[in-house]
Amino acid sequence: MSDPIRTSVLLTPVQLKEMMSCGADVTILAVHSINPYTGQNSFTGQRIRGAIDTQAYSDFQSPASVEGGQRPLPDIAELQAKTRAWGLRPQSTIVIYDADRSMTAARAWWVLRWAGLPDVRVLDGGFPAWIAAGLPVTEETKTPRPSDITLSPGHMAEISADDAMKLATTGVLLDARIRANYIGGKVALGQPPRGHIPHALSAPAPDNVTDYGNFTDGDTLREMYRALGADGKKPVGVYCGAGMSAAHTVLALASIGIDAAMYPGSWSAWVGDPERPVVVGADPA
């Protein structure tokens, strides 16, 4: 039996295939990327039939800045021009996938929801799950019919640096980076400090998914976040390094019915101000 809360943000490959087969109004976006650490290109030349190609590190962010961090939110006018070229319409269900545990797809999901698209979902497990399900792929590209969609910012909850500092003590502030970055420590001369925001709790985004790359079951996610205080009774905020893993965690929480705000600039913006405190070590404070 499908979970309506989960399926409102996550679709399995079979569910997506059924929607496509019955003629539902579905637009599919493939989010490609070159890993900034390894240089590996996620795109193999194959895609789900009808998918429109997008780029994770150019289409869903603005250039880095001290105030905005490494991946500021995109300029709304530029994003609107791109979504029009992709043919996006508010009446359509937008389904996004990537090839890397939904990390970049989650960012695209958050950005498009932030920009006002009402029905955006992520393909659970991404392209690897689609292939594992034995569903068809193609090397053909699609030329979408441009749309006249109008976007506006602010449709997803955001927090600032000051909000994050306050939320860490009045609610729950989750740090979605890998634990080594949360713990921090010494850095080379001239490099930004490592560590975490005071009282933030370590909640690595990779824990949201199984070894196969799909999001873990709802009961497990609920228990994982309940233990951190994110049970729907307190306001929740999430940050990461630059707004990628944080979006993944906001998506995971949405799949179990918990709303969470994101600090878009995240750690890369936090450390842009040397007056902001940095905690080093495994303890929250």
Side-chain angles (χ1 to χ4, degrees):
M1 182 180 297
S2 65
D3 178 346
I5 295 176
R6 186 178 177 106
T7 56
S8 70
V9 292
L10 292 172
L11 290 176
T12 67
V14 171
Q15 288 169 333
L16 174 57
K17 179 61 176 174
E18 289 174 350
M19 291 178 69
M20 296 167 67
S21 297
C22 74
D25 188 351
V26 178
T27 305
I28 303 172
L29 298 183
V31 183
H32 307 305
S33 63
I34 297 177
N35 189 295
Y37 306 106
T38 67
Q40 182 177 355
N41 192 334
S42 69
F43 185 46
T44 64
Q46 295 183 321
R47 59 180 66 79
I48 297 172
R49 184 173 298 279
I52 300 160
D53 296 330
T54 67
Q55 294 295 324
Y57 297 111
S58 57
D59 290 334
F60 303 103
Q61 66 179 62
S62 293
S65 67
V66 174
E67 298 80 11
Q70 291 180 351
R71 299 188 183 101
L73 296 179
D75 175 82
I76 195 67
E78 293 182 5
L79 181 64
Q80 178 175 280
K82 290 177 179 180
T83 57
R84 287 182 173 185
W86 299 334
L88 302 194
R89 295 171 294 105
Q91 302 88 348
S92 181
T93 296
I94 313 300
V95 181
I96 308 173
Y97 74 86
D98 64 18
D100 185 20
R101 303 165 296 162
S102 300
M103 286 293 175
T104 55
R107 166 73 179 208
W109 166 83
W110 195 95
V111 166
L112 292 180
R113 289 292 310 278
W114 165 82
L117 280 162
D119 187 5
V120 187
R121 313 189 202 186
V122 169
L123 179 63
D124 196 4
F127 196 54
W130 182 269
I131 294 174
L135 297 172
V137 299
T138 183
E139 294 185 358
E140 296 178 3
T141 59
K142 176 181 179 179
T143 302
R145 177 183 297 176
S147 73
D148 60 356
I149 192 170
T150 299
L151 302 182
S152 60
H155 297 269
M156 290 289 275
E158 303 172 53
I159 53 175
S160 66
D162 290 342
D163 295 332
M165 187 72 177
K166 181 179 180 181
L167 190 60
T169 55
T170 61
V172 179
L173 181 65
L174 301 176
D175 185 319
R177 297 172 299 163
I178 61 172
R179 193 158 174 79
N181 288 340
Y182 172 90
I183 292 172
K186 295 181 179 180
V187 296
L189 185 65
Q191 294 298 307
R194 298 174 64 232
H196 59 270
I197 296 173
H199 303 288
L201 302 176
S202 179
D207 289 351
N208 294 325
V209 296
T210 71
D211 291 340
Y212 299 98
N214 59 291
F215 281 81
T216 193
D217 64 275
D219 287 342
T220 301
L221 285 172
R222 273 185 285 272
E223 180 60 18
M224 184 169 76
Y225 285 108
R226 181 205 63 77
L228 294 169
D231 56 5
K233 298 177 181 178
K234 300 177 181 178
V236 179
V238 189
Y239 75 95
C240 60
M244 190 76 74
S245 297
H248 195 270
T249 292
V250 173
L251 174 60
L253 288 166
S255 77
I256 55 174
I258 296 176
D259 294 328
M262 188 172 81
Y263 175 18
S266 286
W267 188 252
S268 61
W270 180 268
V271 297
D273 183 348
E275 298 299 316
R276 292 189 183 121
V278 171
V279 175
V280 175
D283 295 325

